Amino acid sequence: MNVADSEVVAAVLRQCNYQHTEHPEEADLILVNTCSVREHAEQRVRTRLRELGKIKQKHGQVKLGVIGCMAERLKGKLLEEEPMVDLVVGPDAYRLLPDLLEEVDGGGKGINTLLSTVETYADIDPVRMDKNHVTSFISVMRGCNNHCAYCVVPSTRGRERSRDPETVIGEARTLFDQGYREVTLLGQNVNSYRWNANGEKVSFEELLGRVARIDPMLRVRFTTSHPRDLSDDLLKQMALFPNICRAIHLPVQSGSTRMLRKMKRRYTREDYMDRVEAIRTYLPDASISSDIIAGFCGETEEDHRQTLSLMEWAGFDFSFMFKYSERPDTFAATHYPDDVPEAVKTRRLNEIIGLQTRLSRESKEKAVGNILEVLVEGTSKKSEEHLFGRTSQNMVAVFPRGDHRPGDYVQVNITACTPATLIGHPVP
Ligand code: SAH
Ligand code: SF4
């Protein structure tokens, strides 16, 4: 999501004649786009700000700004705590960057952290920062109306709002015309996408279908799905379009109904299992990935075992796994003690990672012996002679280059795998 936001910010700045550079040393303005989801992410930003502060000391002219969730969460406090920062801009205030930069030019500090209920940056044509020109992200909604007890996102990103479908489709079409072959539609909870204006009602299923219809050669992905809102209708819609990728990111967070209730996730272990079964029914070849939190408030060994057993049952192809990190002012921080000792959180996380490593390997092993379509994204990191790309299931595959190039669809015979990568050769 932050990549998509950075691309919007680059577009706003282009209007006032800034150009994007990868090298902080040659920049007149350095913006750090930030995440507040876990404390660790914020600590990394602070370390980075200190490094960038040194560049600023050397090149006196450069302006340093913090944008995104950390700007929103800390507001003016960030200017006090990090004196080398000139600019603090929350996720709904990017259009005001030119004015705020003028304030900095005038010798002041620029700050705006007002959240909006309507801003979607729908009319802004993002400046693409991806390296491959094959895959790109499109933000279809902003904010979140859920209240997961551990989560800072609703307070840093504001209320949920959906973007005009015409602008989403227009952006996807432009990308396709420019040679891109895959778009990922982004939202904190894409299943609750709803457009309702001038008598037109568009659901997420409808939006997905419209983007998929742009061209069969355009792959469409989306993230994230909330288990409570993933409907059979969406799965049926996906099944109708071979170019909608067979990969669903469905974060479970915990396998224990007791924990899920405390987390305010609004589904039980059984509800989640029901959704996995629905995916298996409508999209038997889909991969399922998850987010998992270890050591949430009050989590017992039994709760933890239930997480492991659910992972095993679902056979997740991939997971993002985290230790619970208490975030200030969330429901959990103000209502529950963060009482699982650090060493226990670490041990449980390691058990979760250990199990996922096995499940990931098993999911790759199942692909061996099949011919899978791979969209080429670029040259393999390990060898110039090999290309890499992804299957519809979002698995990375590597194979000898031959005459292929990024953006090609290649039928690859998968002959081997590592825990993270499929290995094969193109079908002649
Ligand atoms: N909207 C998405 C993801 C939001 S943040 C969703 O609901 O799935 C991405 C992931 O970060 C979450 O799924 C969760 O697993 C993790 N996360 C969020 N807050 C956290 C916290 N306080 N501590 C640890 N992990 C957290
Ligand atoms: Fe956070 Fe829950 Fe919203 Fe995801 S759905 S962003 S975890 S509040």
Side-chain angles (χ1 to χ4, degrees):
M1 263 151 239
N2 272 359
V3 174
D5 270 18
S6 294
E7 294 181 337
V8 165
V9 168
V12 171
L13 290 172
R14 187 177 272 187
Q15 289 161 10
C16 47
N17 296 326
Y18 279 89
Q19 273 175 10
H20 176 232
T21 166
E22 298 274 313
H23 310 289
E25 298 77 18
E26 60 183 43
D28 302 314
L29 166 66
I30 303 175
L31 296 177
V32 183
N33 199 353
T34 57
C35 167
S36 289
V37 164
R38 279 165 296 278
E39 195 190 347
H40 181 61
E42 290 203 356
Q43 279 164 354
R44 280 188 16 224
V45 169
R46 290 193 188 258
T47 310
R48 185 88 183 111
L49 286 175
R50 309 247 154 87
E51 286 164 17
L52 293 168
K54 286 188 200 136
I55 296 184
K56 197 178 151 168
Q57 271 170 354
K58 266 202 235 151
H59 312 265
Q61 297 303 315
V62 61
K63 293 176 271 247
L64 181 58
V66 178
I67 62 173
C69 288
M70 204 171 155
E72 189 61 49
R73 194 177 83 71
L74 293 167
K75 304 188 168 59
K77 233 162 89 188
L78 203 50
L79 291 174
E80 287 162 26
E81 290 171 0
E82 309 288 347
M84 64 291 208
V85 171
D86 304 299
L87 201 64
V88 170
V89 188
D92 286 344
Y94 297 148
R95 282 181 205 270
L96 299 174
L97 267 164
D99 298 344
L100 294 166
L101 282 166
E102 267 180 35
E103 281 175 37
V104 176
D105 284 336
K109 300 257 178 184
I111 174 160
N112 191 312
T113 54
L114 279 183
L115 286 173
S116 155
T117 52
V118 291
E119 179 63 272
T120 59
Y121 301 112
D123 55 317
I124 291 185
D125 188 15
V127 173
R128 302 292 163 191
M129 291 184 185
D130 58 90
K131 300 241 160 56
N132 60 26
H133 298 288
V134 177
T135 62
S136 192
F137 296 104
I138 302 180
S139 221
V140 302
M141 58 199 294
R142 298 181 73 83
C144 180
N145 283 358
N146 286 325
H147 301 280
C148 302
Y150 50 79
C151 186
V152 79
V153 169
S155 70
T156 58
R157 299 229 138 214
R159 302 292 294 165
E160 185 179 283
R161 62 222 99 121
S162 297
R163 180 174 163 190
D164 182 338
E166 290 308 325
T167 67
V168 173
I169 295 155
E171 197 174 318
R173 190 170 284 127
T174 305
L175 285 166
F176 184 74
D177 292 342
Q178 290 169 350
Y180 286 82
R181 289 295 171 263
E182 184 182 292
V183 293
T184 302
L185 308 184
L186 294 177
Q188 294 295 347
N189 177 12
V190 285
N191 308 113
S192 60
Y193 175 94
R194 251 172 222 44
W195 177 253
N196 195 348
N198 312 323
E200 188 194 24
K201 283 192 185 161
V202 179
S203 64
F204 185 65
E205 294 90 89
E206 173 66 26
L207 179 74
L208 195 60
R210 287 207 208 165
V211 176
R213 262 184 233 114
I214 290 174
D215 197 292
M217 296 295 278
L218 179 68
R219 271 187 179 177
V220 191
R221 299 186 186 278
F222 57 90
T223 196
T224 297
S225 291
H226 191 291
R228 176 158 161 135
D229 302 317
L230 180 82
S231 67
D232 285 11
D233 284 346
L234 177 66
L235 299 173
K236 287 181 198 161
Q237 177 78 321
M238 289 176 73
L240 291 178
F241 293 90
N243 57 327
I244 300 181
C245 289
R246 301 312 194 224
I248 296 187
H249 189 58
L250 195 68
V252 67
Q253 315 298 0
S254 167
S256 150
T257 296
R258 197 178 77 84
M259 281 293 107
L260 290 169
R261 193 164 293 137
K262 272 187 93 168
M263 289 176 169
K264 295 181 176 282
R265 287 289 286 179
R266 299 180 299 123
Y267 55 85
T268 61
R269 174 186 175 93
E270 289 68 31
D271 295 335
Y272 186 87
M273 291 168 90
D274 172 72
R275 292 298 77 205
V276 170
E277 276 171 349
I279 296 170
R280 302 274 182 244
T281 304
Y282 294 109
L283 300 165
D285 58 343
S287 65
I288 303 180
S289 54
S290 187
D291 293 351
I292 296 165
I293 299 178
F296 185 60
C297 314
E299 186 187 72
T300 62
E301 283 306 313
E302 174 53 24
D303 294 318
H304 170 59
R305 268 195 298 278
Q306 291 197 21
T307 296
L308 295 173
S309 78
L310 186 71
M311 289 173 69
E312 182 96 48
W313 176 85
F316 292 135
D317 296 271
F318 176 82
S319 291
F320 294 108
M321 298 156 284
F322 314 103
K323 261 191 263 184
Y324 171 59
S325 161
E326 186 179 81
R327 306 310 293 129
D329 304 325
T330 53
F331 185 89
T334 51
H335 291 74
Y336 315 135
D338 180 12
D339 54 1
V340 177
E342 189 57 28
V344 176
K345 281 186 189 172
T346 304
R347 197 245 311 142
R348 289 183 188 163
L349 178 66
N350 285 338
E351 286 173 12
I352 289 170
I353 292 172
L355 172 56
Q356 186 57 57
T357 306
R358 170 162 71 73
L359 296 175
S360 299
R361 193 184 61 231
E362 286 170 4
S363 110
K364 303 278 174 324
E365 281 166 358
K366 271 192 236 145
V368 174
N370 293 316
I371 293 172
L372 297 174
E373 186 174 75
V374 175
L375 171 61
V376 182
E377 293 181 23
T379 300
S380 156
K381 270 194 217 122
K382 292 202 182 130
S383 142
E384 279 285 315
E385 309 296 303
H386 288 74
L387 293 171
F388 84 96
R390 273 165 215 275
T391 67
S392 174
Q393 287 75 14
N394 212 9
M395 291 187 199
V396 174
V398 175
F399 59 91
R401 175 183 291 276
D403 293 333
H404 300 294
R405 57 171 76 161
D408 286 355
Y409 286 98
V410 183
Q411 299 296 323
V412 179
N413 190 357
I414 308 296
T415 51
C417 67
T418 70
T421 313
L422 303 176
I423 299 163
H425 52 78
V427 177

